[in-house]
């Protein structure tokens, strides 16, 4: 469960040079010293496991590399003739001039040449979410992103010079996708790693000096005891399952940038998202203009045309305004304030000492008559902007002075055809939805109701909430729609939900979603979103289609469900192996198995079932925690296994059974109980699972019936008459 952006050499090394592989190699050398070469069969499994992992990951890497081109970093290079060319970031050179626009993430260090209200967010570097205004001559650092405005910059350091530092800083800032399985498996491996060497050493000592076994048998018994403790199959299973899942999702146009994100999304019980681009198409159009004073319509066109053309913003709203408001005339602009999601307006000042602002009505106007008029449109799911005159052009609404409303601009956004179906799916999966939008809460609530979102009527206006309110879990839990939300408030909502024990996924595509995306348990970005959003996300939807989330969640839940099921088989072996090593060391008796016998039990009761069960398409994920769920299945089987073998040892001592007879009973009981665990794990039983249990039972019985001498047990036929 690693990041998938690895070289071929790193992939091969990660599957070969591992702690458990090296330990298996040492165990194989001990078997060679014993001279009992058939007990080296386990090395064939180790080698095949490594080859399977390498081949599968190389295949997926090839697919991912071909898709990653769609989301790789690019830059807009300003040529000497003024034309702009989109080039690969790796081709940048010192001295190149870059065009910067809102949402761009800087991929090289540089200095500002021109600034048109340029504001940068450097939270990736410093942790501070407040934007910083940049003027000519100011320095720009790789990793920060443009929060507002536009401009040009000169490259000071190429990507190769600052790339390592950029990655290091991003790694500190961006939250890794959460993984219960990874944490549980790492904890289990760490405990087993610490236990193997001392237990193995003590076991050999007791076999050789207390049980008085020969050196050859002592080595083989020790290898058998240690071998059973190694859960290398579980490590391979989880790794390959996730790798194959990444490959299948890639074919469905979802680029997984962290494999853990599959599990995080599969376990998510809260999905936060923006309205635009997820519930709605994001393609806005101006429906009508409502004059609020005597300003001629032609003059309104000139003012809005001047604001939009000066701002250089390239988002859905600005494109809709640009398409609608045409004018040959243009005001002479002396000052410009770009749009920012925190202040929710933009504006210009002119040569005639006039100032105009265009943005959210509830921020710029408090007149009740106008507010009532706006409410009638927002209740229908329409968006409204207001154009106002103001005394001065300032970043804070409180400093604008008196605002005089000029006109309302009504915009519409089309609901996605599959939106209602998607939210029904989330409801069926037990995933609650939270809409975090910068639009008016009534507008968002109306759109949510149209999309069939449960409790979309429960909405709040973030501008009316205090910082303490955002930290109240009950307030966040009971509301579904949060309107007029700033980027920092989105981030705080994510934190509050996580603090309440929720696993939170966040879907976004804009610069205002970056802070929430990078702190969510699983961040999902659209490929047509801003570079900053794609870089902050754990999963990128290459077709920018929110409906593909359904496939991702189903695939993730299938992977997790299958791994949870088969992990019980591996953990059963690890638990009973540790207990047997400890108990037989205390008893001073020979270890009850040799490696070849454990290979038979492992192949029939673990290897074959785990391979078949991981291919199932069952997406029922437990909510009780990975380790607790697995222990509920594995612990009873492991204890039964150990108890039955202790009964055999005690009975053999009382009844004076031969060692060969005891070894035979050990293998039969051990294999039978292990197959019983498979049957338990396969509940509820299906025709396919019944066939699997039958096949492994026949294979186990056939092996000990046909090849008793190979497994060093008594023939079965004489045994029945004993």
């Amino acid at each position: 469960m690693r990041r998938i952006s690895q070289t071929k050499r790193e992939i091969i090394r990660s599957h070969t040079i591992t702690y458990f592989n090296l330990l298996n190699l040492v165990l194989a050398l001990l078997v060679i010293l014993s001279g009992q070469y058939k007990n080296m069969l386990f090395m064939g499994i180790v080698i095949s496991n490594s080859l399977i992992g390498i081949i599968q990951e190389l295949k997926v890497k090839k697919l991912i590399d071909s898709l990653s081109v769609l989301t790789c970093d690019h830059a807009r290079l300003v040529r000497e003739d003024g034309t702009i060319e989109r080039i690969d970031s790796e081709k940048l050179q010192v001295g190149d001039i870059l065009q910067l626009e809102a949402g761009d993430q800087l991929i090289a260090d540089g200095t500002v040449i021109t600034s048109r209200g340029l504001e940068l967010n450097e939270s990736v570097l410093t942790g501070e979410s407040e934007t910083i205004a940049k003027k000519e001559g100011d320095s720009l650092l790789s990793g920060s992103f443009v929060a507002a405005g536009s401009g040009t910059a000169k490259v000071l350091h190429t990507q190769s010079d600052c790339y390592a530092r950029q990655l290091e800083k991003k790694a500190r800032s961006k939250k890794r996708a959460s993984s219960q399985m990874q944490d549980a498996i790492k904890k289990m491996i760490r405990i087993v790693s610490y236990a193997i060497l001392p237990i193995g050493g003590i076991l050999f000592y007791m076999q050789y000096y207390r049980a008085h076994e020969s050196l050859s048998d002592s080595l083989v018994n020790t290898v058998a005891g240690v071998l059973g403790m190694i859960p290398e199959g579980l490590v391979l299973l989880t790794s390959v399952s996730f790798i194959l899942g990444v490959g299948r999702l890639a074919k469905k146009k979802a680029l997984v940038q962290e494999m853990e994100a599959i599990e995080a999304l599969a376990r998510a019980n809260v999905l936060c998202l923006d309205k635009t681009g997820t519930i709605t198409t994001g393609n806005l159009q101006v429906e009508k203009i409502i004059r609020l004073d005597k300003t001629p319509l032609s003059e309104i066109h000139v003012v809005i045309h001047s604001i939009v053309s000066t701002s250089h913003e390239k988002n859905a709203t600005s494109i809709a305004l640009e398409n609608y408001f045409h004018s040959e005339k243009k005001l002479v602009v002396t000052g410009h304030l770009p749009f920012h999601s925190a202040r929710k307006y933009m504006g210009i000042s002119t040569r005639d000492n006039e100032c105009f602002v265009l943005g959210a009505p509830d921020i710029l106007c408090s007149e009740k008559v106008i507010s009532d008029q706006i409410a009638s449109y927002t209740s229908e799911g329409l968006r409204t902007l207001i154009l106002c005159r103001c005394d001065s052009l300032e970043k804070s609404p409180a400093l604008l002075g008196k605002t005089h409303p000029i006109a309302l601009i009504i915009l519409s956004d089309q609901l996605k055809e599959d939106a209602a179906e998607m939210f029904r799916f989330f409801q069926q999966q037990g995933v609650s939805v939270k809409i975090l939008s910068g639009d008016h809460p009534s507008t968002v609530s109306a759109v949510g109701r149209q999309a069939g979102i449960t409790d979309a009527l429960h909405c709040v206006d973030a501008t009316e909430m205090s910082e303490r309110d955002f930290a109240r879990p009950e307030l966040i839990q009971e509301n579904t729609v949060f309107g007029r939300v700033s980027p920092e408030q989105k981030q705080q909502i994510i934190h509050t939900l996580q603090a309440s024990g929720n696993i939170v996924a966040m879907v976004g595509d804009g610069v205002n979603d970056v802070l929430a995306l990078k702190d969510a348990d699983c961040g999902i970005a659209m490929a047509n979103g801003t570079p900053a959003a794609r870089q902050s996300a754990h999963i990128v939807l290459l077709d920018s289609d929110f409906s593909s989330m359904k496939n991702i969640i189903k695939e993730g839940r299938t992977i997790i469900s299958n791994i949870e099921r088969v992990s019980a088989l591996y953990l059963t072996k690890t638990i009973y192996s540790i207990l047997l090593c400890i108990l037989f060391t205390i008893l001073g008796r020979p270890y009850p198995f040799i490696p070849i016998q454990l290979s038979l039990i492992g192949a029939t009761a673990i290897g074959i079932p785990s391979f078949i069960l991981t291919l199932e398409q069952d997406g029922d994920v437990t909510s009780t925690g990975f380790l607790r769920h697995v222990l509920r299945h594995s612990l009873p089987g492991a204890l039964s296994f150990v108890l039955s073998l202790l009964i055999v040892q005690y009975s053999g001592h009382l009844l004076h059974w031969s060692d060969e007879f005891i070894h035979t009973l050990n293998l039969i009981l051990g294999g039978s109980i292990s197959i019983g665990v498979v049957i338990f794990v396969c509940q509820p039983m299906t025709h396919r699972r019944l066939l699997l249990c039958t096949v492994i039972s026949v294979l186990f019985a056939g092996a000990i019936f046909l090849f008793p001498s190979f497994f060093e047990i008594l023939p079965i036929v004489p045994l029945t008459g004993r």
Side-chain angles (χ1 to χ4, degrees), residues 365-599:
C365 178
S366 58
E367 295 183 20
K368 188 177 185 307
V369 176
I370 297 177
S371 299
D372 292 341
Q373 194 173 5
I374 292 169
S376 65
Y377 290 109
T378 55
S379 64
E380 299 174 11
L382 297 171
R383 295 182 60 184
T384 58
L385 296 175
I386 192 168
L387 176 66
C388 298
R389 282 188 176 87
C390 58
D391 294 337
S392 61
L393 192 63
E394 301 290 345
K395 290 184 179 181
S396 172
L399 300 177
L400 292 174
K402 184 178 180 181
T403 57
H404 175 74
I406 299 174
L408 289 176
I409 296 92
I410 312 300
L411 302 99
S412 64
D413 192 357
Q414 184 180 1
L415 192 72
K416 284 192 172 183
E417 294 181 0
D418 54 1
E421 179 186 349
M422 280 299 303
F423 291 114
R424 278 197 302 271
F425 169 77
F426 289 128
Q427 186 175 7
Q428 293 167 359
Q429 297 296 315
V431 178
S432 62
V433 174
K434 305 288 182 185
I435 308 177
L436 316 181
S437 176
D439 292 339
H440 194 283
S442 298
T443 301
V444 185
S445 178
V447 172
R449 293 197 304 273
Q450 293 172 20
I453 296 178
T454 307
D455 298 330
L457 281 171
H458 296 171
C459 61
V460 292
D461 189 331
T463 59
E464 299 175 358
M465 296 171 63
S466 66
E467 186 175 344
R468 183 177 297 178
D469 289 334
F470 282 100
R472 290 170 52 197
E474 66 278 4
L475 189 148
I476 303 300
Q477 292 281 9
E478 68 189 20
N479 286 289
T480 300
V481 174
F482 297 83
R484 297 298 186 212
V485 185
S486 70
E488 293 77 17
Q489 290 168 336
K490 288 186 180 184
Q491 185 183 38
Q492 182 58 51
I493 290 172
I494 297 291
H495 291 169
T496 302
L497 288 169
Q498 290 170 332
S500 302
N502 296 291
I503 300 177
V504 184
M506 172 71 193
V507 182
D509 59 358
V511 67
N512 60 325
D513 299 315
V514 170
L515 297 177
L517 283 171
K518 75 183 185 69
D519 281 359
D521 294 293
C522 180
I524 304 104
M526 306 293 181
N528 62 3
T530 63
R534 294 198 303 270
Q535 181 64 50
S536 301
H538 304 103
I539 298 175
V540 179
L541 305 182
L542 297 176
D543 55 2
S544 300
D545 185 2
F546 179 61
S547 63
S548 61
M549 285 281 292
K550 188 174 181 179
N551 289 329
I552 299 174
I553 291 177
K554 283 184 175 180
E555 183 66 40
R557 295 200 165 191
T558 296
I559 292 171
I560 306 309
S561 177
N562 291 339
I563 292 177
E564 283 182 338
R565 185 180 298 108
V566 301
S567 292
L569 306 180
Y570 289 97
L571 196 55
T572 299
K573 183 192 75 166
T574 298
I575 293 173
Y576 73 62
S577 296
I578 293 174
L579 292 176
L580 288 177
C581 283
I582 295 172
L583 291 173
F584 277 78
T585 296
I586 295 172
L587 294 174
R589 293 185 58 83
Y591 192 76
F593 297 105
I594 58 175
I596 191 66
Q597 294 171 344
L598 288 176
S599 295

Side-chain angles (χ1 to χ4, degrees), residues 53-114:
I54 291 170
I55 292 170
Q56 295 289 3
E57 190 158 356
L58 287 176
K59 287 172 62 178
V60 172
K61 173 181 169 56
K62 183 178 180 181
L63 175 61
I64 294 300
D65 287 348
S66 65
L67 292 177
S68 295
V69 176
L70 300 176
T71 59
C72 67
D73 293 330
H74 289 84
R76 285 183 292 275
L77 183 66
V78 182
R79 294 296 185 186
E80 293 182 359
D81 59 0
T83 60
I84 297 176
E85 179 184 355
R86 184 178 171 87
I87 66 167
D88 193 309
S89 59
E90 294 181 356
K91 297 180 180 179
L92 282 180
Q93 298 179 4
V94 174
D96 283 346
I97 307 300
L98 300 180
Q99 173 72 31
L100 302 178
E101 295 180 1
D104 287 350
Q105 185 154 32
L106 273 69
I107 52 179
D109 297 339
T111 184
V112 178
I113 297 178
T114 61

Side-chain angles (χ1 to χ4, degrees), residues 318-332:
S318 63
I319 292 172
L321 294 174
E322 189 176 332
N323 291 337
Y324 187 85
F325 292 97
H326 300 285
S327 176
E328 295 182 0
K329 293 177 60 179
K330 184 178 178 181
L331 300 175
V332 179

